[in-house]
Amino acid sequence: MSKQKPTRPISRPRVKDDPKSLDLDKNSEEAAGQFLTSNQGLRINDDQNSLKLGERGPSLLEDFILREKITHFDHERIPERIVHARGSGAHGSFQVYESMAALTRASFLQDPAVQTPVFVRFSTVAGSRGSSDLARDVRGFAVKFYTGEGNFDLVGNNMPVFFIQDAVKFPDLIHAVKPEPHNEIPQAASAHDTFWDFISLMPESMHMIMWVMSDRAIPRSLRMMEGFGIHTFRFINSKGKSRFVKFHWKPLLGIHSVLWDEALRISGCDPDFHRRDLWEAIENGDFPEWEFGIQIVEEKDEHKFDFDLLDPTKIIPEELVPVQRIGKLTLNRNPDNFFAETEQVAFHVGHVVPGIDFTNDPLMQGRLFSYTDTQLIRLGGPNFHEIPINRPLAPIHNHQRDGFMRQMINRGHVSYEPNSLGNNDPAQAPARDGGFVSYAERIDAAKTRARSKSFVDHFTQAAMFFHSQSPTEQGHLINALRFELGKVAAQPIRERMLYQLSQVDDGLAEKVAAGLGVKVPVKIDGPGNMSIPADVNPKDLQSKKFTGKPFISPALSMANTVKDTIQSRKIAALAADGCDDGELAAMKKALMNAGAQLKVVSPHGGSITGSSGKAIPVDFSLLTVASVLFDAVYVPGGDAHAASLSHEMKAIEFVEEAYKHCKAIAATGAGFDFIKMTRVGEDLEDGDAKSKSLVNHQGVIGGRSAPIAKVATAFIEAIAKHRAWDREQKVSPIKEPENNRK
Ligand code: HDE
């Protein structure tokens, strides 16, 4: 019964043809137009005062309304995830381009007409739930497909390899990277002694270290990163034939990152930068999209590579086995409620459907245990699959019963199998009716605790990654290592790390060492690998230093990514009273036509008055934002506006910071004079400020009298390139080391 007609529309648009959206509606609550009630449905008359003995007297135990409210509040928190605590989620759908029946019988990969609802959760790994989005870290990329045959969870990361080869080392890795136990410092950061101590003793992590020290660990947006299933899985077709498969997500906007210096600033200006970006993009209708990619390896080719397909510290270079793009994931709806959906969603590598199966990757095997186990404590019992976000669209029928918070009301008196009293229902499903049959892999082996010799080469692919990076990316990676190891207090750990890096590449180690003011040791005390069982000779598990010619995989470099779109990019227009509103409007139109947004940033909030006397609404005051929150900056003309910006320290900083971070900067009219008086001007080549010619130099675009249409076109091209990296050599060059070996 409602109080009156709802005065406001329901908060989020429903997706009528999305079955999961409709399913969630069964549990959704909408307060508009309703009376306030207790949890028993009792209407509350006074939510301002507790029940007291007299106006100034003590509260009464009888106040069941107070007690209910406070008790519920007292129990609002659940444990955060032990890893991947900080996350952001979104709903969407997946569609395959054409039937994959030849490779897999998975029903959601058969019919291009079928849209499978999905829920995706992105996360960082090390930080707590409230930590900054911009930590240097791996990003989780977990996708729950609500298929007709049950849920399939692809619980991946934005990097295709992992630190360790065997699940038994996972608690050690996580203990090492988490804040140190004596003082709980640092939050969401790997730049500390325990992490690098562990890593320096575990050379198997070296390939992953290349990835996490690269800019992949500080994405520009969750929408602009790749995703990987990491482990080798199996695809099984309806004839029972198995093939190995690696899963990929390829973002249609390309793979882009911020600079570390920006990441540090963003963490202060807007620690929710990624979460906000994802949320706003979806609200604006800029639906994030990824293509689903697969790499297929025939069973007979299992051993044809110089690495082991079961080793999660290795990739199959795309140049050896191309990634086939077989479908598309689109995120199109923000959650209604963070806790109910993003926090309570429970992923599990073991949630598979017929047609997808596991391999013996020892990391994956451990994960198959961990995910259900962790939900038992985090979500409070064995019925977490009944939480609406986790509930499959496929019906559930089994003999599992009871437990905390059971929602399902199972009818009948039979809860065992076989039974005659219930006609032996629910019945087991033959394979032809979708019954899951594990792949009958043949194994003839002795029981052992051992690492396969085929897992021992730790440096070849690390070298491949490093050498496949552009010089700019290599520079960032070196600087990241200098930063991280620079925060390590124990000198022996730094030295051991430099030694490990020298096993990948001497030049890399020497450059990092130059930044630390430490020499690269030629040898170290004890074995390079300390992850060795008590009775094994360390020599048997030493990886050889990489000395050959590295394999170059262009797919590993972000320099080769998509650079022809500015869709959903956020550009700041730095404007004060008197700015040329004609130019501002023309630039806004050009950018919006290209799919981007222009936000007016001014010395104060409210509105400013343009040169024609029009009021221009201000999106942000300079106090509340910084240029690190934008992709590019435009400064329009207007003498009074340019003069006031030139007296505004924050405006100068805004442009200079964008310049330092190699962002596209455009300026017209007196706006061009303004940027010339900042650090940007030192490097401009334009001698004639009056000329109509267009300056277009390392991402700085414009001119005193350059036509706005031409400026806009060149600006859009420059933004699409993401950054003018050639500028970086000038702004912050990497110093070449002198003799740095000891
Ligand atoms: Fe996870 N991981 N993990 N992991 N993982 C968890 O499960 C674990 C690993 C990944 O948004 C936990 O529900 C072990 C690799 C993602 O809710 C936990 C090992 C990859 C998420 C767990 C790994 C991942 C998790 C914590 C080594 C990339 C976030 C909360 C054997 C392929 C999912 C939870 C979300 C979360 C265990 C290694 C991805 C404790 C034991 C490799 C994206 O169960």
Side-chain angles (χ1 to χ4, degrees):
M1 205 191 311
S2 71
K3 174 174 71 143
Q4 60 189 53
K5 277 213 168 114
T7 47
R8 281 169 293 155
I10 56 166
S11 47
R12 313 220 56 75
R14 314 311 306 173
V15 183
K16 288 291 172 234
D17 52 359
D18 172 359
K20 188 61 196 175
S21 179
L22 297 174
D23 177 56
L24 291 174
D25 276 353
K26 292 181 210 154
N27 293 81
S28 300
E29 184 260 352
E30 198 49 66
Q34 303 294 333
F35 285 117
L36 184 70
T37 74
S38 74
N39 284 339
Q40 303 307 316
L42 177 78
R43 288 182 180 174
I44 308 280
N45 169 261
D46 181 349
D47 193 37
Q48 320 307 322
N49 300 293
S50 53
L51 185 67
K52 299 181 202 74
L53 200 59
E55 281 169 11
R56 301 182 61 253
S59 299
L60 295 178
L61 188 59
E62 181 194 319
D63 191 349
F64 62 100
I65 294 176
L66 170 76
R67 278 190 284 116
E68 182 199 81
K69 187 172 175 182
I70 301 269
T71 304
H72 198 276
F73 170 75
D74 289 346
H75 297 264
E76 269 176 15
R77 288 289 169 269
I78 63 168
E80 65 173 32
R81 290 165 173 82
I82 167 70
V83 283
H84 296 265
R86 168 87 188 162
S88 307
H91 294 272
S93 74
F94 174 80
Q95 233 168 333
V96 72
Y97 291 146
E98 54 186 58
S99 172
M100 288 290 118
L103 297 175
T104 174
R105 55 178 290 202
S107 71
F108 77 107
L109 295 175
Q110 306 298 310
D111 183 355
V114 170
Q115 291 196 5
T116 303
V118 299
F119 186 77
V120 177
R121 184 173 179 273
F122 301 106
S123 47
T124 54
V125 177
S128 306
R129 218 185 118 177
S131 57
S132 166
D133 281 342
L134 265 287
R136 173 174 295 285
D137 203 347
V138 192
R139 298 298 182 288
F141 191 136
V143 183
K144 190 179 282 294
F145 297 78
Y146 301 95
T147 89
E149 295 176 304
N151 290 349
F152 167 50
D153 292 355
L154 185 49
V155 200
N157 281 347
N158 75 330
M159 298 177 189
V161 287
F162 203 63
F163 295 94
I164 49 170
Q165 296 174 321
D166 191 306
V168 75
K169 298 309 296 169
F170 192 65
D172 299 294
L173 167 74
I174 299 305
H175 286 174
V177 74
K178 284 270 180 182
E180 298 191 8
H182 58 308
N183 56 12
E184 219 192 24
I185 298 174
Q187 178 56 242
S190 52
H192 59 113
D193 284 44
T194 55
F195 177 69
W196 288 104
D197 182 26
F198 179 74
I199 294 298
S200 71
L201 300 166
M202 296 279 294
E204 69 196 57
S205 65
M206 229 34 68
H207 186 194
M208 181 64 168
I209 286 299
M210 294 297 120
W211 283 85
V212 280
M213 292 300 116
S214 82
D215 291 345
R216 301 264 187 160
I218 38 175
R220 156 65 182 85
S221 161
L222 301 169
R223 305 174 292 122
M224 298 173 198
M225 55 186 208
E226 287 182 296
F228 303 91
I230 302 195
H231 316 283
T232 303
F233 288 79
R234 287 177 186 277
F235 259 170
I236 319 282
N237 67 14
S238 55
K239 297 199 179 94
K241 180 164 173 55
S242 161
R243 292 177 177 86
F244 296 108
V245 60
K246 290 263 194 194
F247 295 121
H248 298 246
W249 293 111
K250 299 278 189 189
L252 293 193
L253 294 177
I255 320 157
H256 303 287
S257 289
V258 299
L259 281 165
W260 179 236
D261 187 61
E262 273 178 280
L264 293 174
R265 278 274 276 149
I266 296 172
S267 290
C269 295
D270 185 6
D272 305 300
F273 184 70
H274 284 153
R275 183 178 282 180
R276 191 186 309 282
D277 168 274
L278 178 67
W279 182 276
E280 287 181 351
I282 293 174
E283 290 300 293
N284 292 337
D286 279 324
F287 296 148
E289 292 175 316
W290 286 262
E291 285 190 304
F292 190 41
I294 53 169
Q295 283 176 298
I296 298 287
V297 176
E298 298 291 334
E299 282 226 298
K300 66 175 171 38
D301 293 333
E302 179 176 359
H303 301 294
K304 86 168 187 190
F305 303 99
D306 54 10
F307 52 87
D308 196 322
L309 285 181
L310 302 186
D311 175 356
T313 66
K314 306 295 185 300
I315 60 166
I316 311 178
E318 292 187 25
E319 292 73 16
L320 298 185
V321 178
V323 175
Q324 305 171 44
R325 297 177 180 225
I326 65 163
K328 194 158 82 179
L329 164 73
T330 307
L331 299 183
N332 52 21
R333 190 165 65 86
N334 279 316
D336 283 318
N337 183 286
F338 185 91
F339 179 82
E341 297 169 79
T342 310
E343 195 58 20
Q344 292 203 111
V345 67
F347 294 94
H348 178 20
V349 204
H351 293 164
V352 290
V353 289
I356 299 176
D357 211 329
F358 315 112
T359 59
N360 302 324
D361 172 342
L363 194 68
M364 167 144 70
Q365 293 285 319
R367 293 180 75 199
L368 286 171
F369 163 74
S370 179
Y371 287 72
T372 307
D373 184 49
T374 201
Q375 314 307 347
L376 293 175
I377 185 94
R378 190 170 73 83
L379 298 170
N383 289 317
F384 58 85
H385 62 282
E386 296 189 337
I387 296 174
I389 192 70
N390 296 324
R391 173 168 75 202
L393 287 171
I396 304 174
H397 299 287
N398 59 42
H399 298 294
Q400 295 171 35
R401 291 289 185 274
D402 309 347
F404 283 115
M405 306 293 166
R406 182 70 169 178
Q407 312 281 306
M408 188 177 281
I409 303 168
N410 299 100
R411 295 200 178 127
H413 61 312
V414 165
S415 54
Y416 53 87
E417 200 275 353
N419 67 68
S420 64
L421 295 175
N423 199 26
N424 215 18
D425 284 336
Q428 301 167 81
R432 65 170 184 281
D433 289 323
F436 183 86
V437 182
S438 288
Y439 178 66
E441 181 185 359
R442 216 189 149 70
I443 297 182
D444 178 12
K447 205 192 275 182
T448 175
R449 283 186 191 274
R451 195 76 55 98
S452 167
K453 286 270 181 328
S454 57
F455 278 38
V456 172
D457 172 12
H458 304 315
F459 304 123
T460 304
Q461 288 213 347
M464 169 181 73
F465 182 85
F466 181 67
H467 290 285
S468 298
Q469 303 299 295
S470 66
T472 303
E473 289 170 304
Q474 286 189 351
H476 295 173
L477 197 156
I478 290 161
N479 271 343
L481 281 160
R482 287 172 169 181
F483 175 91
E484 295 271 318
L485 297 176
K487 294 263 190 179
V488 168
Q491 188 72 355
I493 297 177
R494 291 172 164 194
E495 293 195 355
R496 218 165 38 229
M497 260 322 295
L498 290 171
Y499 174 80
Q500 299 292 9
L501 293 174
S502 74
Q503 305 302 293
V504 178
D505 184 75
D506 282 322
L508 163 66
E510 282 165 26
K511 284 185 181 143
V512 174
L516 298 174
V518 179
K519 302 263 183 215
V520 182
V522 180
K523 59 180 181 38
I524 46 169
D525 297 336
N529 183 1
M530 288 289 282
S531 177
I532 294 168
D535 286 332
V536 170
N537 182 345
K539 284 205 182 104
D540 291 346
L541 287 178
Q542 291 309 311
S543 181
K544 282 204 202 71
K545 177 180 168 103
F546 178 75
T547 50
K549 191 166 172 276
F551 182 88
I552 301 298
S553 168
L556 298 180
S557 168
M558 292 195 284
N560 302 320
T561 191
V562 178
K563 286 186 178 154
D564 60 2
T565 173
I566 67 164
Q567 186 71 40
S568 81
R569 295 290 188 142
K570 219 164 139 185
I571 293 116
L574 205 49
D577 285 320
C579 79
D580 185 326
D581 38 24
E583 281 182 357
L584 186 63
M587 182 59 90
K588 183 166 185 167
K589 191 161 169 223
L591 292 172
M592 282 177 66
N593 285 345
Q597 301 171 35
L598 186 74
K599 299 284 179 194
V600 176
V601 178
S602 300
H604 57 78
S607 65
I608 51 170
T609 311
S611 52
S612 73
K614 262 198 259 156
I616 304 167
V618 171
D619 293 298
F620 303 104
S621 89
L622 270 169
L623 270 183
T624 59
V625 287
S627 76
V628 290
L629 304 180
F630 299 89
D631 291 293
V633 184
Y634 168 58
V635 189
D639 290 341
H641 127 97
S644 66
L645 289 186
S646 65
H647 292 111
E648 192 76 49
M649 203 47 225
K650 280 203 156 285
I652 297 169
E653 245 172 48
F654 199 93
V655 171
E656 292 190 337
E657 199 171 48
Y659 184 72
K660 179 166 99 175
H661 297 145
C662 306
K663 292 177 180 172
I665 299 174
T668 44
F672 193 69
D673 298 336
F674 165 69
I675 65 161
K676 278 184 83 171
M677 61 144 281
T678 67
R679 166 83 173 77
V680 182
E682 286 171 30
D683 300 318
L684 276 184
E685 285 170 344
D686 174 39
D688 181 8
K690 297 243 162 4
S691 113
K692 282 205 172 187
S693 67
L694 179 77
V695 174
N696 188 346
H697 180 63
Q698 295 185 338
V700 179
I701 292 139
R704 189 70 175 82
S705 320
I708 185 74
K710 275 196 178 166
V711 175
T713 308
F715 190 37
I716 288 169
E717 253 173 50
I719 303 168
K721 290 201 183 108
H722 185 60
R723 297 297 163 91
W725 292 126
D726 43 355
R727 193 193 297 159
E728 196 176 38
Q729 262 317 86
K730 212 158 37 193
V731 186
S732 48
I734 295 259
K735 299 219 170 42
E736 285 301 319
E738 285 152 25
N739 182 11
N740 246 322
R741 314 242 345 140
K742 81 171 183 192

